[in-house]
Amino acid sequence: MTDLETCAAPSRAGTLRRAAPALLGYAAVRALGLLVLVLWSAARDKSAYTLLTARWDALWYVRVAELGYGYEVRLPNGDVHSNLAFFPLLPWLERTVAAVTPLSYADGGFLVALVASLAAAWGIFAVADLVYGRRAGVCAVLLWAVLPVGIVQSMAYSESLFTALAAWSLYAVLTGRWVTAGSLALLAGLTRPVGIAVAAAVWAGAVSSSVRTGRAGGPGGAPTPARALPRAGATLRTPLGTVGARRALGVLLAPLGTAGYVLWVGRRTGRGPLGYLEVQAGWRNGFDGGYAFARFVADKFTALPSALAGMGLIVGVASVVWLYVLGVRRRQPLPLLVYTGVVTALALCASSYFGSKPRLLMPAFPLLLPLATALAEWSRRRSAWVVGAMASASALYGAFWLNGSGPP
């Protein structure tokens, strides 16, 4: 299905049953990653749980949950690291969990990450299943699970929460549930700055839907695949005015999360709409079109060991671009292409934290769809061996990574 606009979807229970193999496979991969991390950390006399819940960004989220906004660290070089750089939804959830359970804020972050990672896997399956079929959906989830930095999905970070909200918002766009899509985009915008990518996808889907509606003279304009047809007795069409109103409401809701937090930071700092950018500048982070990243890669070509790393970075970036071009050539639905394009551009063109780019690309799961459709065409035995090998490599790399420099 390529010219997809909106399709009816099965019931929630039916969707969960259909997704069960993907979710079980995902849970197995993540369990393997956590087991290897525990064993590796124990051998180095470190706490795996601390690495997952109380290091790097996870510690900053806990501070927001515990102390609120206003905490900052001034470095010797004059840089100011303010916790205003971190969007509020994850700390709010951590605080909620701590308020209703005996768990700490860090425990709450870990619990949210575990639940959100399963919700993200389910959402990725739902999108891929809708567009390419069930087996491709299972493969997409497994490929997302075995990413080299897949261990982040189990950390008290916001990546899993954001991916879950983004995936289900995209699914809602593709199935014509505009208010749900806009509401989830709003929440995604309260989770990470890249939430604007979800809002852009909702806007793109709304424009595409409106154009198709005008051409077709009704609320639907694209053929509905057989596997997505509603059950007997379901309503096939919705009054055009109702569809238009819901679509408009979804479009209005989508950017409110990102815009609301950015404007609030500007008011708190007294810097207006540019206040959040100044907060990010204190972390030496910003958007420069990829210039700093290009210089970082070029600087690697000064000696043989680092030159090999530089070549690896070039191959990695080329692979990401190639996968995106494949998605365009195979006519992925426009909302997926817009979402992936914005996430990828913001990740690759940020001016700092170069080691974090694989983590920042993690929510761009539609990049995996061309690989998932290819893997789905293989025999079950062959694909199982490939995924198993990748899962083992991902588990080993994740344990090595977190016990080393780890993610900033």
Side-chain angles (χ1 to χ4, degrees), residues 31-49 51-52 151 395-396 398-400 403:
L32 174 63
L34 292 174
L35 175 61
V36 172
L37 176 64
V38 168
L39 295 176
W40 192 301
S41 301
R44 296 176 59 87
D45 198 25
K46 291 185 178 181
S47 167
Y49 191 70
L51 294 175
L52 293 169
I151 190 65
L396 290 170
F400 167 79
N403 277 275

Side-chain angles (χ1 to χ4, degrees), residues 47 49-50 52-54 58 61-62 65 90 93-99 101-115 154-157:
S47 167
Y49 191 70
T50 298
L52 293 169
T53 63
Y61 283 119
V62 166
L90 178 56
L93 293 175
E94 291 177 340
R95 187 179 297 173
T96 300
V97 171
T101 70
L103 299 177
S104 67
Y105 296 120
D107 297 335
F110 184 63
L111 178 62
V112 170
L114 291 183
V115 174
S154 300
M155 296 178 68
Y157 271 41

Side-chain angles (χ1 to χ4, degrees), residues 15 23 69 79 90 110 127 202 302 304 393:
T15 303
L23 297 181
Y69 284 108
D79 290 346
L90 178 56
F110 184 63
V127 170
V202 174
T302 57
L304 181 58

Side-chain angles (χ1 to χ4, degrees), residues 329-362:
R329 293 179 62 184
R330 296 181 182 183
R331 301 180 67 188
Q332 279 186 12
L334 180 62
L336 299 188
L337 293 175
V338 169
Y339 167 77
T340 307
V342 175
V343 172
T344 301
L346 291 177
L348 295 181
C349 296
S351 61
S352 188
Y353 297 105
F354 306 116
S356 293
K357 294 195 182 294
R359 173 170 68 87
L360 299 177
L361 283 167
M362 185 182 297

Side-chain angles (χ1 to χ4, degrees), residues 273-289:
L274 299 179
Y276 185 76
L277 297 180
E278 293 191 10
V279 169
Q280 285 285 7
W283 288 78
R284 299 214 171 202
N285 199 16
F287 186 88
D288 64 357

Side-chain angles (χ1 to χ4, degrees), residues 33-228:
L34 292 174
L35 175 61
V36 172
L37 176 64
V38 168
L39 295 176
W40 192 301
S41 301
R44 296 176 59 87
D45 198 25
K46 291 185 178 181
S47 167
Y49 191 70
T50 298
L51 294 175
L52 293 169
T53 63
R55 295 285 304 277
W56 308 293
D57 288 8
L59 189 57
W60 282 91
Y61 283 119
V62 166
R63 284 171 178 159
V64 174
E66 183 178 8
L67 305 174
Y69 284 108
Y71 177 86
E72 62 184 29
V73 175
R74 293 184 178 272
L75 304 183
N77 65 356
D79 290 346
V80 178
H81 287 185
S82 169
N83 66 359
L84 289 169
F86 296 88
F87 277 51
L89 185 57
L90 178 56
W92 287 348
L93 293 175
E94 291 177 340
R95 187 179 297 173
T96 300
V97 171
V100 301
T101 70
L103 299 177
S104 67
Y105 296 120
D107 297 335
F110 184 63
L111 178 62
V112 170
L114 291 183
V115 174
S117 66
L118 286 170
W122 187 7
I124 291 169
F125 170 82
V127 170
D129 178 32
L130 186 68
V131 180
Y132 294 113
R134 186 183 191 186
R135 191 166 182 190
V138 173
C139 291
V141 170
L142 294 177
L143 288 174
W144 190 67
V146 302
L147 289 173
V149 293
I151 190 65
V152 174
Q153 297 162 17
S154 300
M155 296 178 68
Y157 271 41
S158 60
E159 272 77 10
S160 289
L161 178 61
F162 176 80
T163 304
L165 294 168
W168 283 108
S169 179
L170 290 169
Y171 179 76
V173 169
L174 297 179
T175 54
R177 302 176 182 183
W178 298 105
V179 177
T180 299
S183 300
L184 291 172
L186 185 157
L187 292 175
L190 288 172
T191 307
R192 296 186 63 80
V194 75
I196 193 64
V198 189
V202 174
W203 296 338
V207 170
S208 176
S209 172
S210 180
V211 170
R212 291 180 182 276
T213 298
R215 289 176 178 175
T224 302
R227 64 174 175 274

